[in-house]
CSV table of all heavy atoms in Angstrom, one decimal:
chain,number,residue,atom,x,y,z
M,1,VAL,N,102.5,96.7,98.0
M,1,VAL,CA,103.1,97.1,99.3
M,1,VAL,C,103.2,98.6,99.3
M,1,VAL,O,103.7,99.2,98.4
M,1,VAL,CB,104.5,96.4,99.4
M,1,VAL,CG1,105.2,96.9,100.7
M,1,VAL,CG2,104.4,94.9,99.4
M,2,LEU,N,102.8,99.2,100.4
M,2,LEU,CA,102.8,100.6,100.6
M,2,LEU,C,103.9,101.0,101.7
M,2,LEU,O,103.8,100.5,102.8
M,2,LEU,CB,101.5,101.1,101.0
M,2,LEU,CG,101.2,102.7,100.9
M,2,LEU,CD1,101.4,103.2,99.5
M,2,LEU,CD2,99.9,103.0,101.5
M,3,VAL,N,104.8,101.9,101.3
M,3,VAL,CA,105.8,102.4,102.3
M,3,VAL,C,105.5,103.9,102.4
M,3,VAL,O,105.5,104.7,101.4
M,3,VAL,CB,107.2,102.2,101.8
M,3,VAL,CG1,108.2,102.8,102.8
M,3,VAL,CG2,107.5,100.7,101.6
M,4,VAL,N,105.2,104.3,103.6
M,4,VAL,CA,104.9,105.7,103.9
M,4,VAL,C,106.0,106.4,104.6
M,4,VAL,O,106.6,106.0,105.5
M,4,VAL,CB,103.6,105.8,104.8
M,4,VAL,CG1,103.3,107.3,105.1
M,4,VAL,CG2,102.4,105.2,104.2
M,5,ARG,N,106.4,107.6,104.0
M,5,ARG,CA,107.5,108.4,104.6
M,5,ARG,C,106.8,109.7,105.1
M,5,ARG,O,105.9,110.3,104.5
M,5,ARG,CB,108.5,108.8,103.5
M,5,ARG,CG,109.3,107.6,103.0
M,5,ARG,CD,110.3,107.1,104.0
M,5,ARG,NE,111.3,108.1,104.4
M,5,ARG,CZ,112.4,108.4,103.7
M,5,ARG,NH1,112.7,107.7,102.6
M,5,ARG,NH2,113.2,109.3,104.1
M,6,ARG,N,107.3,110.2,106.3
M,6,ARG,CA,106.8,111.4,106.8
M,6,ARG,C,107.4,112.6,106.0
M,6,ARG,O,108.6,112.7,105.8
M,6,ARG,CB,107.2,111.5,108.3
M,6,ARG,CG,106.8,112.8,109.0
M,6,ARG,CD,105.3,113.1,108.9
M,6,ARG,NE,104.5,111.9,109.4
M,6,ARG,CZ,104.3,111.6,110.7
M,6,ARG,NH1,104.8,112.4,111.6
M,6,ARG,NH2,103.6,110.6,111.0
M,7,VAL,N,106.5,113.5,105.5
M,7,VAL,CA,107.0,114.6,104.7
M,7,VAL,C,106.3,115.9,105.3
M,7,VAL,O,105.3,115.9,106.0
M,7,VAL,CB,106.6,114.5,103.2
M,7,VAL,CG1,107.3,113.3,102.6
M,7,VAL,CG2,105.1,114.5,103.0
M,8,ASN,N,106.9,117.0,104.9
M,8,ASN,CA,106.3,118.3,105.0
M,8,ASN,C,106.8,119.1,103.9
M,8,ASN,O,107.5,118.6,103.0
M,8,ASN,CB,106.6,119.0,106.4
M,8,ASN,CG,108.1,119.0,106.7
M,8,ASN,OD1,108.9,119.4,105.8
M,8,ASN,ND2,108.5,118.4,107.8
M,9,TYR,N,106.5,120.4,103.8
M,9,TYR,CA,106.9,121.1,102.6
M,9,TYR,C,108.4,121.4,102.5
M,9,TYR,O,108.9,121.7,101.4
M,9,TYR,CB,106.1,122.5,102.5
M,9,TYR,CG,106.7,123.6,103.4
M,9,TYR,CD1,107.4,124.6,102.8
M,9,TYR,CD2,106.4,123.6,104.7
M,9,TYR,CE1,107.9,125.6,103.6
M,9,TYR,CE2,106.9,124.7,105.5
M,9,TYR,CZ,107.6,125.7,104.9
M,9,TYR,OH,108.1,126.7,105.7
M,10,ILE,N,109.1,121.2,103.6
M,10,ILE,CA,110.5,121.3,103.6
M,10,ILE,C,111.2,120.0,103.0
M,10,ILE,O,112.1,120.0,102.2
M,10,ILE,CB,111.1,121.6,105.0
M,10,ILE,CG1,110.5,122.9,105.5
M,10,ILE,CG2,112.6,121.7,105.0
M,10,ILE,CD1,110.8,123.2,107.0
M,11,LEU,N,110.7,118.9,103.5
M,11,LEU,CA,111.2,117.6,103.1
M,11,LEU,C,110.8,117.1,101.7
M,11,LEU,O,111.5,116.4,101.1
M,11,LEU,CB,110.9,116.5,104.2
M,11,LEU,CG,111.4,116.7,105.6
M,11,LEU,CD1,110.7,115.6,106.5
M,11,LEU,CD2,112.9,116.6,105.6
M,12,MET,N,109.6,117.5,101.4
M,12,MET,CA,109.0,117.0,100.1
M,12,MET,C,109.9,117.1,98.9
M,12,MET,O,110.1,116.2,98.1
M,12,MET,CB,107.6,117.7,99.9
M,12,MET,CG,106.9,117.2,98.6
M,12,MET,SD,105.8,115.8,98.9
M,12,MET,CE,104.4,116.7,99.6
M,13,PRO,N,110.4,118.3,98.6
M,13,PRO,CA,111.2,118.5,97.4
M,13,PRO,C,112.4,117.5,97.2
M,13,PRO,O,112.6,116.9,96.2
M,13,PRO,CB,111.7,119.9,97.4
M,13,PRO,CG,110.7,120.6,98.3
M,13,PRO,CD,110.3,119.6,99.3
M,14,SER,N,113.2,117.4,98.3
M,14,SER,CA,114.3,116.5,98.2
M,14,SER,C,114.0,115.0,98.1
M,14,SER,O,114.6,114.3,97.4
M,14,SER,CB,115.2,116.7,99.4
M,14,SER,OG,114.6,116.4,100.6
M,15,LEU,N,112.9,114.6,98.8
M,15,LEU,CA,112.5,113.2,98.6
M,15,LEU,C,111.9,112.9,97.2
M,15,LEU,O,112.2,111.8,96.7
M,15,LEU,CB,111.4,112.9,99.7
M,15,LEU,CG,111.9,112.9,101.2
M,15,LEU,CD1,110.7,112.7,102.1
M,15,LEU,CD2,112.9,111.8,101.4
M,16,LEU,N,111.2,113.9,96.6
M,16,LEU,CA,110.7,113.7,95.3
M,16,LEU,C,111.9,113.7,94.3
M,16,LEU,O,112.0,112.8,93.4
M,16,LEU,CB,109.8,114.8,94.9
M,16,LEU,CG,108.3,114.7,95.5
M,16,LEU,CD1,107.6,116.0,95.2
M,16,LEU,CD2,107.6,113.5,94.9
M,17,ALA,N,112.8,114.6,94.5
M,17,ALA,CA,114.0,114.7,93.5
M,17,ALA,C,114.9,113.5,93.6
M,17,ALA,O,115.4,113.1,92.6
M,17,ALA,CB,114.8,116.0,93.9
M,18,SER,N,115.0,112.9,94.8
M,18,SER,CA,115.9,111.8,94.9
M,18,SER,C,115.2,110.5,94.5
M,18,SER,O,115.9,109.4,94.4
M,18,SER,CB,116.4,111.7,96.4
M,18,SER,OG,115.3,111.4,97.3
M,19,GLY,N,113.9,110.5,94.3
M,19,GLY,CA,113.2,109.3,94.0
M,19,GLY,C,112.8,108.4,95.2
M,19,GLY,O,112.3,107.3,95.0
M,20,GLU,N,113.0,108.9,96.4
M,20,GLU,CA,112.7,108.2,97.6
M,20,GLU,C,111.2,108.1,97.8
M,20,GLU,O,110.7,107.2,98.5
M,20,GLU,CB,113.3,108.8,98.9
M,20,GLU,CG,114.8,108.8,98.9
M,20,GLU,CD,115.4,109.5,100.1
M,20,GLU,OE1,115.2,109.0,101.2
M,20,GLU,OE2,116.1,110.5,99.9
M,21,ILE,N,110.4,109.0,97.2
M,21,ILE,CA,109.0,108.9,97.1
M,21,ILE,C,108.6,109.2,95.7
M,21,ILE,O,109.3,110.0,95.0
M,21,ILE,CB,108.2,109.8,98.1
M,21,ILE,CG1,108.6,111.3,97.9
M,21,ILE,CG2,108.6,109.4,99.6
M,21,ILE,CD1,107.7,112.2,98.7
M,22,SER,N,107.5,108.7,95.3
M,22,SER,CA,107.0,109.0,93.9
M,22,SER,C,105.8,110.0,93.9
M,22,SER,O,105.5,110.6,92.9
M,22,SER,CB,106.6,107.7,93.2
M,22,SER,OG,105.7,107.0,93.9
M,23,ILE,N,105.2,110.1,95.1
M,23,ILE,CA,104.1,111.0,95.3
M,23,ILE,C,104.0,111.5,96.7
M,23,ILE,O,104.4,110.7,97.6
M,23,ILE,CB,102.7,110.4,94.8
M,23,ILE,CG1,101.6,111.4,94.8
M,23,ILE,CG2,102.4,109.2,95.8
M,23,ILE,CD1,100.3,110.9,94.2
M,24,GLY,N,103.6,112.7,96.9
M,24,GLY,CA,103.5,113.2,98.3
M,24,GLY,C,102.2,114.0,98.4
M,24,GLY,O,101.7,114.6,97.5
M,25,VAL,N,101.6,113.9,99.6
M,25,VAL,CA,100.4,114.7,99.9
M,25,VAL,C,100.7,115.5,101.2
M,25,VAL,O,100.9,115.0,102.3
M,25,VAL,CB,99.2,113.7,100.2
M,25,VAL,CG1,97.9,114.6,100.4
M,25,VAL,CG2,99.0,112.8,99.1
M,26,SER,N,100.8,116.8,101.0
M,26,SER,CA,101.1,117.7,102.1
M,26,SER,C,100.9,119.1,101.5
M,26,SER,O,100.8,119.3,100.3
M,26,SER,CB,102.5,117.5,102.6
M,26,SER,OG,102.9,118.5,103.5
M,27,TYR,N,101.0,120.1,102.4
M,27,TYR,CA,101.2,121.5,101.9
M,27,TYR,C,102.5,121.5,101.2
M,27,TYR,O,103.5,120.9,101.7
M,27,TYR,CB,101.2,122.4,103.1
M,27,TYR,CG,101.6,123.8,102.7
M,27,TYR,CD1,100.6,124.7,102.3
M,27,TYR,CD2,102.9,124.3,102.8
M,27,TYR,CE1,100.9,126.0,101.9
M,27,TYR,CE2,103.2,125.6,102.4
M,27,TYR,CZ,102.3,126.4,102.0
M,27,TYR,OH,102.6,127.7,101.6
M,28,THR,N,102.6,122.2,100.1
M,28,THR,CA,103.9,122.2,99.3
M,28,THR,C,104.2,123.7,99.0
M,28,THR,O,103.3,124.5,98.8
M,28,THR,CB,103.8,121.4,98.0
M,28,THR,OG1,102.7,121.9,97.2
M,28,THR,CG2,103.6,120.0,98.3
M,29,ALA,N,105.5,123.9,98.8
M,29,ALA,CA,106.0,125.2,98.4
M,29,ALA,C,106.8,125.0,97.1
M,29,ALA,O,106.2,124.6,96.1
M,29,ALA,CB,106.8,125.9,99.5
M,30,ASP,N,108.1,125.1,97.2
M,30,ASP,CA,108.9,124.9,96.0
M,30,ASP,C,109.0,123.4,95.8
M,30,ASP,O,109.2,122.6,96.7
M,30,ASP,CB,110.3,125.4,96.2
M,30,ASP,CG,110.3,127.0,96.2
M,30,ASP,OD1,109.4,127.5,95.5
M,30,ASP,OD2,111.2,127.6,96.8
M,31,LEU,N,109.0,123.0,94.5
M,31,LEU,CA,109.1,121.6,94.1
M,31,LEU,C,110.1,121.4,93.0
M,31,LEU,O,110.5,122.4,92.4
M,31,LEU,CB,107.7,121.0,93.6
M,31,LEU,CG,106.6,120.9,94.7
M,31,LEU,CD1,105.3,120.4,94.0
M,31,LEU,CD2,107.0,119.9,95.8
């Protein structure tokens, strides 16, 4: 089962840190 969350480089760090996503594909800055 695949659950997709909308991310961008602003949202990506907090979603990864909280465990809400395990991988993200987007432009990234601070992680």
Side-chain angles (χ1 to χ4, degrees):
V1 176
L2 190 65
V3 178
V4 179
R5 296 287 301 273
R6 177 60 50 82
V7 300
N8 52 52
Y9 80 102
I10 302 172
L11 298 174
M12 180 91 79
S14 60
L15 291 174
L16 285 170
S18 66
E20 294 178 67
I21 61 173
S22 55
I23 190 171
V25 185
S26 173
Y27 173 87
T28 58
D30 291 332
L31 291 177

